[in-house]
Amino acid sequence: MSANDPGNILEQLEERSKKAGVEQWEIFLSRVKTLSIQVKEGEIDRVHRGETLSAGLRFIDRERLGFAHTAVFEPEALDRLTVAALSGARLSDPNPYLGLPDPPSTPYAIVDIYDSSLETLPFETRVGRVKAMEAAALGLDPRVEKVRQAEHRETEVEVWLVSSKGLKRHERGTVAVASIMVKAAEGDEAEMGFEFDYSRYFDKLQHEAVGRRAARRAVDSLGGRKVATGRPPVILENGVAAEFLEVLSPSFYADHVQKGKSMLAGRVGQRAMAETVTLVDDGLYPQGLGTAAADAEGVPQQRTPLVEQGVVQGFLYDYLRARTEGRASTGNAGRAGTQAPPEVSGTNFYLVPGQKDLDGLLSEVGEGLLITEVMGVHTANPITGDFSVGAAGFQIQGGERVHPVKGVALAGNLLDMLGRVARVGSDLRWVGSIGAPSLLVEGLSVGGL
């Protein structure tokens, strides 16, 4: 039997954990397979395949935590792993709320997150989709000068979780991504357009549509003009709205709340956003990128309302932070691989869509701005919510896009902005595990750069 056989690894680590004499132990084993295909000028430019197998070992003894990880599975390496985890459990500071969850009393939900067709899908089929994406972009408009990068990526993640509480979990999922960067030029001006699509299933990716959308973004950005400073109605396109929500999401993590690092601390039951805003974290969202039957500690994932019509309902908990407050975990333990113990994490975090599509929002605005790109959202203050970012998009007049705008500055506060959402679009889009529709925001501060 191979040293890298998951069953063999789990058996050896379980044996060592039992012999360590600690009160509680947990083994987390992860195998990640990746494939990346890049095409340039109709030919394969780069192919990369990868596979990693790694394990994390968590010991809890006398209210102390020990943790260690490894990607080497020879017997001597597993011995060192066990000793390292045991040392941490002897030397770290005590925490009376440490512990491991019991297995659930009811069966886990059945989730649809694994594309078995990838096992037999011909390599040529994948390459053909990337070539078609590039060709679709180049064929949209003669002003499309080149494709900087056309790529298809796949990831398969398989995890095993075994604990002294009797928990035994095995789950696997797949993610496929199509992305493309396009350059359009006219005269001395050039603009870039980027687009992407995610899915759990290869056949649901719309490669050619992604190519056309990227080309359209690049072409439509040519001839951008400056804007006047003011507070016009602003529509944040769904992808832009998702970027802002990504900054907001950690404010719902219980560890951030408990440490005073959340802009929503102490606001449960209070109105913090407009009545149009309802936010949910749904670990069972159909085929979501954050969907799984169980979280990283084996607790069943669930749908957790966070904001209902602007009123804060609660926060997200893993097992430790839930015990700190005498609550139950919401199934929101996540792991950044096997190199650290689990911590609070969102699953599928999204703003519930409304009834009007983007065209409906445009007609409602009359005159204002449609923001289709923002730069520097990651610089927003995650504790206060203050932001100042660059942006680009379109001037709206008579409910129509009349010309592109660039060199736009947006400034404000995230909670204040969400308190000014007059209308929520129906065009929910996922950017990874963050989802948002387009948002019509009244009175956002806009200036020219």
Side-chain angles (χ1 to χ4, degrees), residues 1-9 29 31 51 53 71-74:
M1 184 178 293
S2 168
N4 285 350
D5 175 73
N8 181 40
I9 294 168
L29 182 64
R31 178 161 57 195
E51 181 172 344
L53 185 67
V72 181
F73 299 105
E74 300 299 332

Side-chain angles (χ1 to χ4, degrees), residues 181-364:
M181 177 73 78
V182 174
K183 179 185 177 183
E186 189 170 36
D188 294 332
E189 184 185 6
E191 295 289 345
M192 307 300 295
F194 176 76
E195 262 295 349
F196 61 89
D197 191 20
Y198 296 87
S199 180
R200 289 286 190 174
Y201 285 81
F202 175 84
D203 281 343
K204 292 190 176 183
L205 285 181
Q206 300 177 353
H207 289 81
E208 291 184 49
V210 170
R212 288 190 291 269
R213 290 202 306 267
R216 175 55 58 197
R217 284 188 180 276
V219 169
D220 287 352
S221 297
L222 293 168
R225 308 177 192 176
K226 300 292 185 180
V227 299
T229 298
R231 289 183 171 271
V234 172
I235 295 175
L236 301 178
E237 194 179 46
N238 47 21
V240 170
E243 290 191 59
F244 280 107
L245 287 186
E246 187 173 11
V247 175
L248 175 68
S249 59
S251 283
F252 291 98
Y253 297 176
D255 54 341
H256 288 222
V257 176
Q258 292 167 2
K259 295 173 183 176
K261 295 182 177 181
S262 166
M263 65 185 84
L264 296 169
R267 302 198 65 175
V268 173
Q270 298 179 13
R271 183 172 304 284
M273 304 168 199
E275 290 186 8
T276 54
V277 175
T278 293
L279 294 168
V280 173
D281 184 84
D282 189 354
L284 300 175
Y285 191 91
Q287 297 181 14
L289 295 198
T291 297
D295 72 2
E297 295 180 300
V299 175
Q301 292 194 172
Q302 64 180 41
R303 184 182 190 275
T304 305
L306 299 173
V307 173
E308 290 276 5
Q309 297 181 340
V311 178
V312 180
Q313 303 297 306
F315 303 113
L316 303 174
Y317 294 85
D318 62 0
Y319 188 69
L320 171 61
R321 280 76 187 187
R323 292 189 77 190
T324 301
E325 297 183 23
R327 298 173 176 269
S329 169
T330 57
N332 283 94
R335 298 187 195 238
T338 59
Q339 298 183 4
E343 58 184 14
V344 183
S345 178
T347 58
N348 300 296
F349 176 80
Y350 70 103
L351 197 154
V352 176
Q355 301 300 317
K356 286 191 174 184
D357 61 14
L358 181 56
D359 287 339
L361 296 184
L362 289 169
S363 64
E364 186 167 337

Side-chain angles (χ1 to χ4, degrees), residues 87-106:
S87 297
R90 296 285 185 260
L91 300 174
S92 61
D93 294 332
N95 183 338
Y97 299 106
L98 286 170
L100 301 177
D102 294 318
S105 57
T106 56

Side-chain angles (χ1 to χ4, degrees), residues 13 55-57 59 68-70 76-86:
L13 284 177
L57 186 60
F59 286 170
H69 64 92
T70 187
E76 297 80 4
L78 297 182
D79 289 340
R80 291 193 297 271
L81 176 73
T82 307
V83 170
L86 188 59

